[in-house]
Amino acid sequence: MNTAPRHPAAAWASPGLLATGRLATHALDHPDRVSLDGTWEFQLLPHPDAAPGESWDTIDVPGAWTLQDKGDLPHYTNIVMPFEAEPPYPPAANPTGMHRRRFDVPRGWLERRTVLHVGAAESVLLARLNGHEVGISKDSHLAAEFEVTGLLREHGNELVLTVVKYSDASYVEDQDQWWHGGITRSVHLYSTGPTYLEDVHVVADFDAGTGSASLRVDTHVATDTGNLSDGWRVRVRVPGLLDAVEIPVPVAEPPRGMTPTFPAGDEIPQPMIPADTLDLLSLRPARAPLGEEEAATADQIQQVLFPPPPGVAVVRASGLPAAPWSAEDPRRYGLEAELLDPDGTVAERTTLSIGFRRVEIRGRDLLVNGRRVLIQGVNRHDADPHTGRTVGRERMERELSLLKRFNVNAIRTSHYPNDPVFLELCDTYGFYVVDEADIEAHAYASSLAHDLRYLPAFVDRVARMVRRDKNHPSVIVWSLGNESGYGPAHDAAAAWVRAFDPTRPVQYEAAIQPDWYAGHAASDIVCPMYPVPAALRAYSASPDADRPLILCEFQYAQGNSNGGFDEVWRLLESAPGLQGGFVWEMLDHGLDPDRDGRHRAGGDFGDQPHDGLACINGLVFPDLTPKPALYEARTLFAPLALAAASDRARSDLQRGRLRLRNRQAFNDTTGLELSAQVETSTGPSRSVPLSCPVIGPGEEGVLALPETLRRAATATDALAVTVIVATADDHPWGPAGTELARLQISRPRSSALGSAGAGVPAAVPLDTDGMLDHPGLGAAPELSLWRALTDNDAAGVLDHRLRRTGLFRTERKLVSVTEGPGTATVEAAFTAAFGQVVTHRRTITALGGDAFRFDEEVVLPDAFEEVPRVGLVLETLPGFDRIAWTGLGPHETYPDRRASGLLGRWESAVADLAVPYLRPQENGGRAEVTDLELGDAAGRRLRLRTDRPVQMNASHQRVSDLESAERVWQLTPRPQTVLHLDVAHRGLGTGALGPDTAPRFRIRPGTYAWSWELVFDGFRD
């Protein structure tokens, strides 16, 4: 029979109602369980008060219904709410999913305690079992547990989980993310005895000064039978480190009154309390001088007045010879906790993986195990292109393995607690985690933190996160949420965290946003977003700066972005008080529910309002393919760096040595292996293994190069020496030999162009427009001043600066052609769409042998503030699909994002140079190119050489092609190759959210002159 769910009136419009029947959050994994994941029956109702129908569909659990073709699609917003309403009310049209499943349980469970666990549901969960209302829960990113003891039968149980998509809670879950609905994490039942392990709280501390560890284990025991009886015991052991320690579980004692007693008659009272004993109650906390006996008495009085809570058995151990945990060396130990009944029988056993480490702030340094660690981090959402918020373990492992191979050491769980499996993997793989509460009130950031109705939700969400994740060594900082303004609710939450867990600092960006020197009540760390380098330098130099600064977000990675990464990183790594940060963000959130490889962004599902491409801003594509910017991070975050500046390094190279700096905080270099190769004008030499010097953490050492390598590196055809850094040992994230970085010392380059040969010079073939007329070209070289705008170029904060140039459309007018023996000088004027005029003077010289030299001069008028590029563009005939070049490679590089580019001779298919940013834009460039060759299958070649390094782009798309498409999968490649060579090309910056490209990478008015040559090979019979 279908029955409408019963519930308290407007449970989804009551911010003070956080849950009913929900158990306290804990950190245990109870192994005696029955999984309920799989195929469920499903109905989607138009609103939570609608009655269900007779017909049921099916749905996969876990899984959002928005990605399972149920009639309600994903909706992306960054700031605005996806509906029109005001807190705390949801919209009237409020999709509500009823999930129904029938199941059996083991017969023995009927006599035991049983708990229903729902890993996550967005955004209000109502649970009903066998016709009985079990409870309600809010918080879309933490589990809800309900005791269902006594409601189960062995066969034919019916569980109905109703999920209301929008609620009062949606206003504090307004993260920069897709709005989904459904059950997004696993569902199961677990069973315990009536007296059971309720929670275990572990503090595993490491003292770097003494090199020893200490352990405190608070084991919480509870019972369903009333008060806990005497005789229960807890046994704790850490195999190989701590032998079993067995202690009784305290039971509740009746309260002790203060009523005085008087002896009867003439009986002389016996002395029981020494005179002035109660004075100790104030002398002890005042740290007044006390004798040993007085101090012990004071402690005994305190125990009598404030006895330990019943059911909490505390085991302490010190002087343990444990190896410390760090992201570089994530040593873990298995802790076993057992509950013994009064007969000594094990009633329940749990195991935890723990790591010994100490996190503290001293002055302006965040320390782990007494050392300053540099946070090389990324922001991460739970995101899968096919399943949305439901992320499987295998994909998590792929994500973390990728990040480790690219030298990322820290993750901020933006902007909610990630799946608990993810934190287990962070413990194992080695990451520092900023664990962030599920709080973002972006659309109402100025009000909800001050709204008393929402105060319980703020504190509850933070507290439940901390209670769940408290035992993870990877978690080193608690975050109170994101972009929710700053108010009393944050101070209340921070106070709770500091009292419950004084072993970790707390951070919250909005507390310091208006003043980096304020907000201490809610943030122990200055954690701003997207500052300019000048602001960072100012904080570093300020005598008032009293906390470490770690950027919670920086280097916004939307589209072709991340210019200036090297500059800001040098500052974060070297300036006092600055300690790294978290790139926004790890992954593009493009969705692909059809699994056709066409990822969607905001608006692609017809969702209104939406924030478009602001969810496509990761260092990694949705399928986990790295973007070029991730290689920039890999180089900057590498465990080793060249210690000397370029000139000094080249001098060292001449002597057969290189100076290296170990950037690690804890490990020496014994875990690394090195090899080297020489890059030449014809390609790389064979790689040679090197003996890696043992260099301590943070120290420098000398790498000796074999004489054969030194000689090859100083030969005339040598371009650079590349040192390859790889792992020497196996790790969970990669086998021995996994490459971590390539370091390079380049040699100075020169580029000499040809001159006309002897004999009668050939005439320069021109068409009537003064353009080179040659059968080997699809389109003659002409001036190029415009690029397909990147997401940063088109950002609102740039105020249409580039479009105001009018260079997106120009009209060329031939001014003059002057021809001489073997030369032709062509002058032309280019009028932009808004009337500005650019002059171009080109002299073409025939060099003989079907080769030509071009001397270019371009004058940009003062009317331009800046322009996107200055260079030339030509097109080949169809079929010129292979390219080789000398310059930076192998991946995409630009003037302000080239720290990871390696100088060498590279080869590629032209099609493989493109980078498929979701919105078509300038992409696939290669910096510092001095010569290149394009070829076809018939053996014909176009060879180009420049008089200086230039920016190259070879593609099967014209600029106009890129500009005419909204999504990359709408592009159709041309059979020709379109080649750009730019003497000046604007940097990328991060202007969509953050600093624009630095002034030195902007193209200003003035005169630009350069030369290049073009050789046609194999075109003449």
Side-chain angles (χ1 to χ4, degrees):
M1 181 177 66
N2 292 323
T3 305
R6 297 184 297 274
H7 48 75
W12 39 87
S14 303
L17 175 63
L18 307 179
T20 61
R22 189 176 68 192
L23 301 178
T25 306
H26 59 82
L28 294 186
D29 185 16
H30 296 274
D32 191 4
R33 63 171 59 182
V34 171
S35 173
L36 298 181
D37 290 350
T39 302
W40 289 49
E41 295 177 291
F42 180 75
Q43 287 193 37
L44 184 64
L45 308 180
H47 55 82
D49 290 315
E54 295 295 328
S55 177
W56 290 80
D57 194 358
T58 60
I59 195 169
D60 291 334
V61 173
W65 70 65
T66 42
L67 290 170
Q68 297 191 56
D69 195 23
K70 302 305 176 188
D72 179 33
L73 296 174
H75 191 155
Y76 171 66
T77 64
N78 178 11
I79 300 174
V80 301
M81 299 301 294
F83 51 78
E84 292 185 5
E86 297 289 329
Y89 304 107
N94 192 358
T96 299
M98 291 186 66
H99 305 70
R100 186 173 72 180
R101 171 147 187 178
R102 293 177 175 86
F103 62 92
D104 302 331
V105 296
R107 177 184 296 273
W109 278 29
L110 302 182
E111 307 301 322
R112 292 166 58 82
R113 171 179 174 266
T114 305
V115 174
L116 168 66
H117 173 103
V118 181
E122 301 185 25
S123 71
V124 177
L125 170 69
L126 301 98
R128 181 158 50 99
L129 177 62
N130 293 332
H132 298 275
E133 301 303 324
V134 172
I136 297 172
S137 180
K138 298 174 186 176
D139 193 330
S140 296
H141 300 281
L142 285 175
E145 291 191 344
F146 308 96
E147 185 167 341
V148 294
T149 305
L151 300 180
L152 289 170
R153 45 185 178 254
E154 185 178 356
H155 300 293
N157 295 281
E158 182 184 87
L159 175 64
V160 177
L161 299 179
T162 299
V163 180
V164 183
K165 183 175 182 180
Y166 298 125
S167 70
D168 56 84
S170 300
Y171 293 98
V172 292
E173 293 182 349
D174 181 24
Q175 287 98 347
D176 175 8
Q177 63 180 358
W178 291 98
W179 294 88
H180 290 293
I183 301 168
T184 55
R185 294 179 188 162
S186 289
V187 181
H188 64 263
L189 296 161
Y190 66 82
S191 178
T192 72
T195 299
Y196 56 93
L197 293 174
E198 183 181 40
D199 200 4
V200 175
H201 186 176
V202 177
V203 177
D205 183 59
F206 180 78
D207 186 339
T210 63
S212 66
S214 62
L215 182 68
R216 172 175 170 151
V217 182
D218 290 27
T219 304
H220 296 249
V221 178
T223 183
D224 276 359
T225 61
N227 291 330
L228 189 66
S229 60
D230 283 324
W232 290 85
R233 302 179 69 81
V234 162
R235 184 162 60 207
V236 173
R237 68 165 64 88
V238 181
L241 189 66
L242 176 66
D243 293 335
V245 178
E246 189 173 312
I247 60 172
V249 179
V251 297
E253 297 182 4
R256 302 187 184 188
M258 298 293 290
T259 304
T261 58
F262 298 95
D266 295 331
E267 180 181 344
I268 300 175
Q270 296 298 312
M272 298 179 63
I273 303 176
D276 303 323
T277 294
L278 292 185
D279 294 355
L280 297 174
L281 289 176
S282 56
L283 292 170
R284 182 66 158 162
R287 298 182 183 177
L290 294 176
E292 184 175 335
E293 185 176 344
E294 291 177 309
T297 300
D299 292 342
Q300 291 173 358
I301 295 173
Q302 193 75 10
Q303 287 289 317
V304 170
L305 294 177
F306 304 101
V312 182
V314 180
V315 170
R316 293 181 175 87
S318 59
L320 302 175
W325 183 97
S326 71
E328 295 174 18
D329 189 5
R331 301 285 190 93
R332 292 167 303 122
Y333 295 84
L335 182 144
E336 301 172 0
E338 295 174 317
L339 176 62
L340 310 179
D341 68 14
D343 295 330
T345 302
V346 176
E348 189 174 3
R349 176 185 293 109
T350 191
T351 60
L352 296 90
S353 179
I354 65 171
F356 291 85
R357 57 104 184 93
R358 179 181 295 178
V359 181
E360 58 188 321
I361 292 177
R362 292 185 198 163
R364 293 204 289 171
D365 292 323
L366 173 69
L367 305 180
V368 175
N369 299 333
R371 298 189 183 182
R372 184 179 187 270
V373 295
L374 191 61
I375 300 301
Q376 302 176 166
V378 295
N379 284 274
R380 178 194 181 271
H381 276 272
D382 280 335
D384 183 290
H386 307 309
T387 57
R389 211 96 65 215
T390 301
V391 184
R393 184 185 186 98
E394 185 272 338
R395 181 176 169 95
M396 293 182 202
E397 290 175 337
R398 288 175 59 206
E399 289 181 15
L400 294 178
S401 295
L402 176 68
L403 294 178
K404 288 296 285 190
R405 295 196 303 273
F406 280 76
N407 303 313
V408 172
N409 70 1
I411 296 168
R412 175 178 174 232
T413 67
S414 53
H415 300 291
Y416 44 79
N418 288 179
D419 190 299
V421 173
F422 185 76
L423 289 183
E424 294 173 14
L425 293 172
C426 288
D427 295 342
T428 302
Y429 283 45
F431 287 93
Y432 302 119
V433 174
V434 172
D435 204 359
E436 189 150 280
D438 186 14
I439 302 172
E440 181 167 338
H442 207 154
Y444 293 90
S446 62
S447 60
L448 292 193
H450 301 270
D451 189 331
L452 193 60
R453 296 173 298 174
Y454 277 90
L455 173 61
F458 275 70
V459 177
D460 180 70
R461 287 163 179 262
V462 173
R464 293 183 70 228
M465 171 188 70
V466 172
R467 287 179 59 88
R468 188 195 76 167
D469 298 337
K470 57 185 174 286
N471 294 333
H472 288 285
S474 58
V475 176
I476 64 168
V477 178
W478 302 116
S479 169
L480 305 180
N482 187 64
E483 294 177 326
S484 301
Y486 178 40
H490 294 105
D491 290 348
W496 186 93
V497 173
R498 290 187 177 115
F500 181 85
D501 178 24
T503 70
R504 297 175 175 96
V506 174
Q507 75 172 46
Y508 180 57
E509 180 269 340
I512 58 90
Q513 185 274 327
D515 183 355
W516 290 3
Y517 306 91
H520 291 76
S523 197
D524 302 317
I525 295 169
V526 177
C527 48
M529 298 178 177
Y530 310 109
V532 295
L536 296 173
R537 284 189 286 268
Y539 181 84
S540 176
S542 173
D544 297 325
D546 60 354
R547 290 167 289 179
L549 185 150
I550 300 171
L551 299 177
C552 73
E553 296 177 20
F554 80 118
Q555 275 293 299
Y556 192 72
Q558 182 175 329
N560 192 359
S561 186
N562 300 98
F565 200 161
D566 56 341
E567 178 184 358
V568 71
W569 190 251
R570 283 193 297 268
L571 190 58
L572 291 169
E573 185 173 18
S574 61
L578 310 186
Q579 209 166 332
F582 298 86
V583 174
W584 187 267
E585 65 176 308
M586 185 193 85
L587 181 73
D588 281 353
H589 295 197
L591 293 177
D592 180 18
D594 301 330
R595 298 178 184 263
D596 59 5
R598 298 181 173 187
H599 298 105
R600 278 71 160 185
D604 288 348
F605 294 100
D607 41 322
Q608 294 289 341
H610 67 83
D611 286 301
L613 292 160
C615 59
I616 309 297
N617 43 26
L619 295 171
V620 179
F621 288 106
D623 64 358
L624 300 185
T625 299
K627 294 182 183 178
L630 187 59
Y631 286 90
E632 198 83 347
R634 185 179 86 153
T635 295
L636 299 173
F637 296 169
L640 290 180
L642 294 168
S646 297
D647 290 343
R648 168 73 182 277
R650 292 184 185 115
S651 175
D652 287 344
L653 181 61
Q654 294 284 343
R655 297 194 295 271
R657 47 182 279 174
L658 291 176
R659 192 160 191 83
L660 302 178
R661 177 166 55 90
N662 182 1
R663 296 185 62 257
Q664 299 174 105
F666 298 98
N667 289 349
D668 63 23
T669 54
T670 54
L672 302 174
E673 63 180 23
L674 304 180
S675 58
Q677 63 190 34
V678 177
E679 312 293 341
T680 75
S681 57
T682 57
S685 69
R686 183 176 59 86
S687 180
V688 177
L690 303 176
S691 177
C692 182
V694 178
I695 306 172
E699 298 178 354
E700 294 183 4
V702 174
L703 172 66
L705 302 178
E707 178 60 21
T708 54
L709 187 69
R710 187 198 69 80
R711 286 198 303 269
T714 56
T716 55
D717 66 341
L719 300 171
V721 172
T722 303
V723 177
I724 302 163
V725 183
T727 58
D729 306 305
D730 292 335
H731 296 277
W733 43 269
T738 297
E739 186 174 309
L740 299 177
R742 293 196 170 211
L743 315 176
Q744 193 175 75
I745 299 294
S746 61
R747 300 186 65 203
R749 285 187 288 167
S750 61
S751 183
L753 300 184
S755 57
V760 179
V764 176
L766 298 179
D767 64 15
T768 56
D769 290 324
M771 308 292 286
L772 181 68
D773 187 6
H774 194 285
L777 291 175
E782 65 175 300
L783 182 64
S784 175
L785 300 168
W786 185 252
R787 73 183 183 191
L789 296 183
T790 67
D791 289 343
N792 289 330
D793 294 340
V797 294
L798 262 69
D799 193 28
H800 305 292
R801 190 187 310 159
L802 297 180
R803 189 165 181 80
R804 283 200 303 270
T805 64
L807 293 173
F808 55 87
R809 185 176 67 251
T810 59
E811 181 178 339
R812 180 180 182 271
K813 179 181 179 182
L814 180 61
V815 175
S816 67
V817 176
T818 304
E819 295 185 273
T823 68
T825 298
V826 180
E827 295 189 11
F830 291 78
T831 302
F834 303 134
Q836 306 95 321
V837 177
V838 177
T839 61
H840 177 211
R841 185 175 188 272
R842 167 183 285 165
T843 299
I844 308 174
T845 303
L847 302 179
D850 218 8
F852 301 89
R853 172 178 171 139
F854 296 75
D855 296 295
E856 314 275 7
E857 183 182 272
V858 176
V859 179
L860 301 180
D862 292 340
F864 291 137
E865 185 176 352
E866 59 170 310
V867 304
R869 72 187 337 154
V870 176
L872 63 96
V873 60
L874 61 83
E875 293 184 15
T876 71
L877 299 173
F880 282 74
D881 299 330
R882 297 292 305 178
I883 187 170
W885 75 96
T886 302
L888 298 189
H891 53 268
E892 174 193 82
T893 49
Y894 281 86
D896 63 346
R897 200 193 69 215
R898 56 184 173 178
S900 58
L902 299 168
L903 180 60
R905 183 67 176 179
W906 306 101
E907 296 184 9
S908 173
V910 170
D912 292 341
L913 299 180
V915 180
Y917 299 111
L918 184 58
R919 185 186 71 81
Q921 56 196 277
E922 165 66 33
N923 74 89
R926 301 302 192 269
E928 299 186 22
V929 173
T930 53
D931 64 87
L932 66 93
E933 181 180 284
L934 285 159
D936 70 356
R940 296 181 296 179
R941 299 289 182 267
L942 285 177
R943 297 200 300 272
L944 295 90
R945 181 183 297 274
T946 61
D947 68 343
R948 69 198 67 193
V950 299
Q951 182 75 18
M952 178 197 78
N953 187 302
S955 169
H956 290 306
Q957 309 288 342
R958 293 174 180 167
V959 169
S960 59
D961 297 334
L962 298 173
E963 291 183 315
S964 65
E966 291 294 324
R967 297 290 180 261
V968 66
W969 31 268
Q970 296 171 340
L971 294 171
T972 300
R974 292 178 177 274
Q976 305 90 345
T977 290
V978 180
L979 178 67
H980 286 266
L981 293 178
D982 298 329
V983 70
H985 194 100
R986 192 182 196 273
L988 301 172
T990 56
L993 189 55
D996 190 11
T997 190
R1000 68 180 180 278
F1001 298 116
R1002 302 179 194 180
I1003 304 173
R1004 303 298 191 183
T1007 300
Y1008 293 82
W1010 75 103
S1011 300
W1012 60 287
E1013 67 181 30
L1014 172 62
V1015 178
F1016 297 89
D1017 185 359
F1019 289 86
R1020 306 288 187 182
D1021 292 335

